[in-house]
Structures are given as structure tokens and as C-alpha cells.
Amino acid sequence: MAIGSARGPAARGVVRLSGPLSLLVVAPRWRPLSAAHELNSNRSQVVQGTITIPSLGQVPAQLCTWPNQRSYTRQPTVEIHTIGSPIVLDAIIEELCQAGCRLARPGEFTLRAFLAGRLDLTQAEAVLGVIDAKDAVHLQQSLRQLAGGLSHPLQEIRALLLDLCADLEAGLDFVDEDISFLTIDELKSRIEQAEHVVSSVLDNIKDRSVHTEIPIVAIWGVPNAGKSNLLNALSRSSISIVSPQAGTTRDYVSHRVDWHGSVFELVDTAGIEDVPHSATPESLAQNSTQELLDRAALRLLCVDTSRALTVWERNQLALSASMPDWIVVETKCDIEPQRVHDPHAMRTSSHLGAGLSQLLGTIAERLAEASGSDARSASTYTRCTNALQSALESLQLARWLAEHDGGEELVASEIRTSLAHLSDVVGAVYTNDLLDRVFSRFCIGK
Ligand SMILES: Nc1nc2c(ncn2[C@@H]2O[C@H](COP(=O)(O)OP(=O)(O)OP(=O)(O)O)[C@@H](O)[C@H]2O)c(=O)[nH]1
Ligand SMILES: [Mg+2]
């Protein structure tokens, strides 16, 4: 059992239970809205009613139930959808713990789905990828992987190699009678076919590789917001031109910063303004700013505390709370009178050097968080490419042995080694060690 929704207040919260007794635990606490919402242990249902929690009373809830094999974990499963208040959700968890439920370990639902054969290992990791997706590209990759992007071609090669192994081994039983089930040419061409599929799967997953380039932190805002001065102050340089004239920075200027080991490229951009779509230097500067923002790992949205907000700034500030890769920076905090545009913003004065270490510390923290999820997708990538590469090498060796009269026994042995490597990719043969490595990376409730 675990809370399956995001932490913190929300319109809806979910408590998920999986196990043979899950329906029996919930049933005594369920009061259906009407007879039509009674629980039925024979079919999947979505029903309305209330859950009785002694410390809270009757809590309105919707139950989604899977009494059989059809759930994610392939075990009877119940989801209690209710008010997304942490107090309500914690009270439900406490009540269910007293009724004998146990809190799920990280990734336990997905581990059960894997052990029940609903997912293969690459798909389990794809669940993690979907949870961690930082942008649309990551999300698409993970969804493709979840839909079986890797496992289908791999199953195809496994079937091909298992057939080949069976034919070779059948031949080995009749070796004294000199009966062969395969000609050398056929053997070679079937190994080549498998090699070809493994190489193309390897090529396909190369685009999953994670960029190990130095992350870009883009300084962004309207003209005159103090962006260039912030770049100079944060990088202790005078690389960017600072001037009272709006629109000074046209092209971007960058400086590599190393803040206690966190290395990033700090880039100053042209101030955002509405310019017509033509090839003027201003519009070209706007295009290159947009391109750079798209590539940036973090954006520092600069707003000037010494003057009122523009419409554009107001709109961006409204969006900023839901943007995990933005940091709002209020600049020029030495100028009186000061305004507070965003109570959660980091406040700086480039002239006085105020707030700069705090801002650099926050940048380093955010980049470390982002690279945590990169490292996770990198480990899926490394695990799959290593196993596929080894499988390919065994096939190449098997073909070489076939071509050089190495004996069918040795060829079969190399093919079996290749099969074992392929099984590692999808987790058909798994070790506790591997499972621990994959599932410990999940959060609780997934
Ligand atoms: N008092 C004070 N003035 C600042 C501070 N930061 C920038 N300024 C002044 O604000 C004006 C604009 O600063 P820039 O850093 O050039 O602004 P920008 O956002 O790069 O402007 P564009 O390149 O035109 O988009 C200059 O006159 C700076 O001296 C600050 O921390 N305190
Ligand atoms: Mg500038």
C-alpha cells in the first residue's frame, strides 16, 4: 500500500493497495453511494461512496478495483481516490496499516508487475523514465520504451536464436551418424540475420543516450532587467556589456562557471521584446535567444525590482511556479524604493554583490537534481548497450567459428551466451542484484 499521487495538497489524492486481501481490507470501511456502488469482488469497478476513517469520519471517495489478474501488478488491487489533502491521505494510510496493510517499498508495484510478467525490465525502467521525464523528448522516449520499443525486436531475435540452438543441438545428438540438420551456409546466414537485428536495435537506442555536455544556464528577461550585469557579477568578469540603454545585448555572451564543483555555462541573452518577424538584427537576436532557451537546463528569469512589471513579465511570473527549470531572480535590490514582484524569487544586487552566492548555490542544487534523473536514464542506456554489445560479440564469434569449422558444439555454446546477454536486457533472466539496482531507483507508490 502507498500514496500513489504527488505529495502536497491537490484536488485529488490516491492511495493504492495491491495484494490478495486488498478488497477485503477496504470493504468493511466502504459505504456505497447507492446499491449500484456496492463492491463486487468478481469484476473491475469504479464506484462512488465514502470511506470511514475513525479519526476523520466519512471521507468522500471513489474506488477503482481490479479483483483479479487485470490490474497493473496482476494482483487484486484497489485505488482509493479522495481529497488530495496530506492529512486525509495520511489518516487513511494509518487506518489501513492498523488493519494489517504494509507500506510499499520504492518501486514495489512495478516490481510486482515485472515479476508477474506484465512488464519486462526495459518497460519497468520506462515507467521510471515517464515519472522523471524533464521534457517532451524524454517523455516520448520513455513512452515508446513502455510500449515495448525494445522488447519486441529482442523477442524476435531470441526466438530466432532459440530455434537455431535447437537445430544445432538436435544435430549434436546425431553427430556419430554424421547427420546434420543445418548446412554451414544456412547456419551462417541465420547468425547473420540475428547480428543484423541486434545491430539495428543498438543503433536505435543510441538516440536514448544522455547528453553529458556542460549544462547551459540562460539569463533571460526584458531589456534593461540587469541580465548582463548579473552575468558579470556571477562570473566575476566584465565579459558582457552593461549599459542603461535598453537592447544592448544582441548576441549571446557566455562564461563558464565552476561553483564548488558544479560546472555550467552561464549565458546572457538579448532582452525579450516583441519584434516583427523579419531579418532585422533585433529579430535575429530574438530567434537565437529562443534557440538557446530551448537548450538550457535552467532559465534565470530576471525582473527589475526598481520598476513596475511589463505585461510579458506578469505572464511569465504567473507561469513560473509550474516550471521546474526556471528560477526567478529579482535584480537591482539596492535601488529604493523596492518592489517585491514574486515573494519566492531570489533577490540580488549586482552592484553590491548581494544574493549572488545564494543564487549560485540554488543553481548548483537544481542542476544536481536534474542530473540525478539523467543518471538514471543513463544507467538504463548503459545496461542495455553493454548487454546488446556482448550479445553481438558472441554472435560474431559464433559466425567465425561456423566459418572456420569450429564445431557445432562451440557455435551452439556462443549462441547460448548471446541469448543470455539478450535476456539481461529484458530481464528474462534476472538476479536479485539487478532487480535491486533497477527498482531501488523508483519512488514509493509506483
Ligand atoms: N543599481 C543597480 N543597477 C543595476 C544593477 N544591475 C544592472 N543595473 C543597471 O541597469 C542597466 C541595465 O543593465 P544591463 O545588465 O545592461 O541590462 P540587460 O538586461 O543586460 O539589458 P539588455 O542587454 O539591454 O537586454 C544598467 O544601467 C546597469 O548599470 C544592480 O544590481 N543595481
Ligand atoms: Mg544585456
Side-chain angles (χ1 to χ4, degrees):
M1 168 194 58
I3 295 178
S5 46
R7 269 319 218 170
R12 178 176 280 232
V14 179
V15 174
R16 184 175 296 144
L17 292 94
S18 174
L21 303 179
S22 39
L23 213 59
L24 287 178
V25 173
V26 176
R29 295 163 176 80
W30 178 243
R31 279 225 192 146
L33 193 66
S34 67
H37 296 271
E38 294 279 2
L39 285 179
N40 182 329
S41 58
N42 295 322
R43 58 186 166 87
S44 304
Q45 285 180 298
V46 178
V47 286
Q48 310 286 346
T50 57
I51 282 274
T52 310
I53 303 298
S55 57
L56 299 172
Q58 307 277 319
V59 183
Q62 181 186 51
L63 294 190
C64 302
T65 68
W66 295 265
N68 46 34
Q69 285 273 310
R70 298 181 60 190
S71 70
Y72 180 59
T73 55
R74 293 213 164 139
Q75 291 181 316
T77 298
V78 179
E79 281 185 8
I80 305 170
H81 291 233
T82 183
I83 309 155
S85 141
I87 296 171
V88 172
L89 297 175
D90 288 345
I92 295 177
I93 291 281
E94 203 181 313
E95 170 66 6
L96 295 177
C97 278
Q98 282 184 5
C101 292
R102 159 176 84 65
L103 282 174
R105 288 185 277 271
E108 191 168 351
F109 291 100
T110 307
L111 176 62
R112 289 186 185 191
F114 167 74
L115 293 174
R118 178 177 276 302
L119 302 175
D120 68 30
L121 208 50
T122 52
Q123 288 172 311
E125 286 173 308
V127 173
L128 188 65
V130 171
I131 298 166
D132 277 346
K134 275 189 311 215
D135 53 35
V137 177
H138 274 89
L139 184 63
Q140 279 311 320
Q141 282 171 352
S142 302
L143 288 175
R144 264 205 305 275
Q145 189 179 336
L146 196 56
L150 261 188
S151 54
H152 288 310
L154 291 184
Q155 270 160 10
E156 193 187 311
I157 324 168
R158 274 169 54 78
L160 212 134
L161 292 178
L162 282 169
D163 285 348
L164 190 53
C165 251
D167 287 348
L168 277 171
E169 278 161 13
L172 289 174
D173 290 341
F174 294 94
V175 75
D176 295 337
E177 284 98 69
D178 213 16
I179 300 174
S180 182
F181 284 74
L182 286 168
T183 65
I184 292 289
D185 283 345
E186 198 186 337
L187 178 59
K188 265 176 43 193
S189 95
R190 281 168 71 180
I191 299 176
E192 263 168 10
Q193 198 185 340
E195 276 179 60
H196 178 73
V197 188
V198 178
S199 313
S200 61
V201 172
L202 256 174
D203 288 345
N204 281 347
I205 65 168
K206 290 240 160 86
D207 69 333
R208 280 225 218 116
S209 75
V210 181
H211 302 291
T212 49
E213 297 155 9
I214 292 185
I216 293 174
V217 176
I219 306 182
W220 174 54
V222 299
N224 239 339
K227 301 180 295 300
S228 301
N229 215 6
L230 185 65
L231 174 100
N232 293 345
L234 290 173
S235 61
R236 295 168 187 264
S237 69
S238 47
I239 188 165
S240 202
I241 301 166
V242 174
S243 115
Q245 196 181 338
T248 306
T249 309
R250 287 279 175 85
D251 206 353
Y252 44 79
V253 180
S254 78
H255 198 279
R256 183 154 309 177
V257 177
D258 180 346
W259 179 252
H260 300 302
S262 171
V263 180
F264 53 90
E265 201 69 36
L266 192 61
V267 190
D268 182 19
T269 61
I272 299 282
E273 46 196 334
D274 282 333
V275 285
H277 289 282
S278 59
T280 59
E282 290 82 1
S283 72
L284 290 175
Q286 297 293 302
N287 290 345
S288 63
T289 294
Q290 194 51 52
E291 239 171 61
L292 189 110
L293 289 170
D294 290 342
R295 285 197 286 129
L298 275 182
R299 299 179 182 194
L300 307 187
L301 172 60
C302 294
V303 287
D304 184 340
T305 47
S306 69
R307 49 161 196 77
L309 292 174
T310 67
V311 175
W312 181 86
E313 286 176 316
R314 203 165 302 125
N315 290 339
Q316 302 310 308
L317 285 181
L319 283 176
S320 64
S322 55
M323 298 297 187
D325 55 346
W326 293 12
I327 297 176
V328 180
V329 182
E330 290 189 333
T331 57
K332 312 189 191 178
C333 289
D334 53 290
I335 302 181
E336 296 290 345
Q338 287 181 26
R339 298 157 215 251
V340 176
H341 297 305
D342 176 351
H344 304 294
M346 315 238 19
R347 295 173 68 78
T348 59
S349 160
S350 302
H351 278 190
L352 301 179
L356 302 177
S357 323
Q358 286 92 326
L359 179 56
L360 286 164
T362 304
I363 294 173
E365 262 170 41
R366 294 282 194 90
L367 290 175
E369 281 167 20
S371 74
S373 66
D374 269 358
R376 286 196 282 268
S377 32
S379 83
T380 306
Y381 173 78
T382 312
R383 188 178 67 74
C384 291
T385 40
N386 283 348
L388 285 168
Q389 194 58 49
S390 308
L392 186 61
E393 281 163 17
S394 295
L395 289 176
Q396 286 163 342
L397 185 53
R399 184 163 49 87
W400 186 87
L401 286 166
E403 284 165 353
H404 294 82
D405 216 4
E408 292 191 348
E409 211 158 328
L410 286 180
V411 176
S413 152
E414 278 311 320
I415 292 177
R416 273 196 301 272
T417 311
S418 176
L419 270 167
H421 289 306
L422 291 174
S423 302
D424 281 349
V425 179
V426 287
V429 176
Y430 45 84
T431 58
N432 285 343
D433 197 31
L434 180 63
L435 294 189
D436 276 356
R437 249 192 305 142
V438 172
F439 289 97
S440 63
R441 293 184 265 130
F442 277 79
C443 47
I444 311 265
K446 293 292 178 296

